[in-house]
Amino acid sequence: MQDIDWGDVSHCLAVIQEGSVTAAAKKLGVNHTTVSRRISALEKTLQASLFDRSTSGWSVTPVGESILPSLEQMQEAAGAIERSVRADRQDLSGTLRVTALDVCIQRILLPGLKAFGEKYPSINVELLASEESLDLAVHAADIAFRTTNDPPPNVVGKKIANFNYGVFGRKSVWEDYLSGQGGVGAITWMLDGKAVPEWLRQSYPDMPIRYRSNSLNVIYDLIRQGHGFGELPCSLGNSDPDLIRIPAQGVMEPMGFWLLTNLDLRTTARIRIFRDFMLNYLQPIVERFESQSAL
């Protein structure tokens, strides 16, 4: 037996539901010859007669009556598929709120965001550059890119890579330090109070802290402009030809780089499509995230 053609089934059901070939043809927007041909094709596939044809009209045969519930189930399944696709199409518009560190948006996500915008121009992306872990559970954001080894329990996500860290500085600043020139200082994250980072405590205990900041982007710019040494993700430090890796012990342990979203929204079309698109975009450059040496 050949596979059943859903188009043939829909024509058969239309005749049963509308009561005549003429009414079925009108409902389907075709002529009665097409309806008759499609039903004959279904009967040929099933190797059974579904209608008794007479000059007074068509009546359903016992075989047709017996398979009617199955045909109606096929109709419902097809309708569910159509509704799902239509919902997805309608949902491929509107606003998507994405949060990440400012430096992550600028140095990692922007090319992928440009490609996404070109493919899905009806989705407007709001970029929330924030150091804070916005609460996805209350829809402060739809998607979050975060570095963490302990994602919160009220979200779902995928780990993209591990960020390795190192201490970086300009070569000229490193040479000044080696020559014994004073004035070379450290640039650190704004930790608890005046806490000293481990890399500084273990490797350069006499080096003064010149700057503290709560922005990775600011720390990066301070380092690349020659204000001192600081800790950066290796992917960021290695990508800058003006910076070199400074020997240091006690650097941060690797941190997971995650794409996270709200539990309730994970199947929303625009969120699902954005997630899959960005994961595909980021996959080829995972090696750069995880490398501890220049690529």
Side-chain angles (χ1 to χ4, degrees):
M1 182 183 294
Q2 298 177 354
D3 292 337
I4 296 175
D5 186 325
W6 161 244
D8 296 342
V9 171
S10 65
H11 283 70
C12 176
L13 281 170
V15 172
I16 297 173
Q17 292 164 351
E18 299 301 315
S20 72
V21 173
T22 301
K26 184 177 180 180
K27 176 184 178 182
L28 296 171
V30 298
N31 58 52
H32 70 278
T33 303
T34 298
V35 175
S36 179
R37 176 174 55 79
R38 297 301 292 262
I39 292 175
S40 295
L42 179 60
E43 290 175 325
K44 182 178 180 181
T45 298
L46 296 175
Q47 299 177 9
S49 178
L50 303 178
F51 293 92
D52 286 327
R53 297 157 172 84
S54 69
T55 55
S56 60
W58 291 21
S59 59
V60 184
T61 65
V63 172
E65 291 281 2
S66 69
I67 67 169
L68 179 59
S70 297
L71 298 182
E72 290 173 336
Q73 288 177 9
M74 290 179 66
Q75 184 181 48
E76 177 57 32
I81 292 171
E82 183 178 352
R83 289 191 296 273
S84 177
V85 171
R86 187 184 303 118
D88 265 10
R89 285 176 179 164
Q90 291 173 346
D91 201 36
L92 292 183
S93 62
T95 300
L96 186 66
R97 294 167 64 85
V98 179
T99 179
L101 296 176
D102 48 6
V103 72
C104 176
I105 294 173
Q106 293 171 282
R107 309 291 175 179
I108 298 174
L109 301 182
L110 281 183
L113 290 170
K114 183 176 186 296
F116 179 81
E118 290 171 350
K119 187 169 184 179
Y120 300 101
S122 296
I123 299 178
N124 302 316
V125 179
E126 292 184 352
L127 296 174
L128 309 175
S130 172
E131 311 289 342
E132 301 175 5
S133 296
L134 298 182
D135 192 350
L136 297 178
V138 295
H139 300 177
D142 302 314
I143 295 278
F145 292 90
R146 282 289 177 259
T147 51
T148 178
N149 287 333
D150 188 23
N154 58 349
V155 299
V156 292
K158 181 175 177 60
K159 184 177 181 180
I160 300 169
N162 279 316
F163 274 136
N164 286 298
Y165 288 81
V167 177
F168 290 85
R170 293 186 71 91
K171 185 178 180 181
S172 59
V173 177
W174 175 240
E175 290 171 348
D176 287 346
Y177 175 80
L178 292 178
S179 68
Q181 294 186 31
V184 177
I187 302 160
T188 72
W189 188 257
M190 197 172 287
L191 301 168
D192 240 353
K194 295 186 180 296
V196 177
E198 280 303 308
W199 70 266
L200 188 59
R201 186 192 310 276
Q202 293 186 30
S203 302
Y204 303 95
D206 298 327
M207 181 178 291
I209 296 176
R210 299 296 186 197
Y211 297 94
R212 296 177 186 270
S213 177
N214 66 343
S215 168
L216 184 59
N217 211 29
V218 170
I219 292 173
Y220 170 68
D221 281 340
L222 286 168
I223 295 170
R224 66 192 302 269
Q225 290 180 27
H227 289 276
F229 302 154
E231 195 168 40
L232 295 172
C234 291
S235 58
L236 182 59
N238 289 334
S239 67
D240 193 320
D242 294 329
L243 300 183
I244 63 169
R245 182 88 175 269
I246 305 299
Q249 300 297 316
V251 297
M252 287 175 57
E253 293 295 317
M255 294 283 286
F257 180 47
W258 290 76
L259 188 158
L260 304 170
T261 189
N262 179 274
L263 278 166
D264 298 332
L265 297 178
R266 65 189 186 276
T267 59
T268 302
R270 64 179 178 274
I271 292 177
R272 186 182 70 249
I273 288 171
F274 179 84
R275 178 195 63 207
D276 294 344
F277 186 95
M278 293 304 293
L279 288 174
N280 287 334
Y281 159 73
L282 292 169
Q283 189 57 45
I285 56 177
V286 164
E287 184 180 354
R288 176 160 63 88
F289 298 156
E290 298 186 331
S291 176
Q292 292 180 299
S293 59
L295 295 178

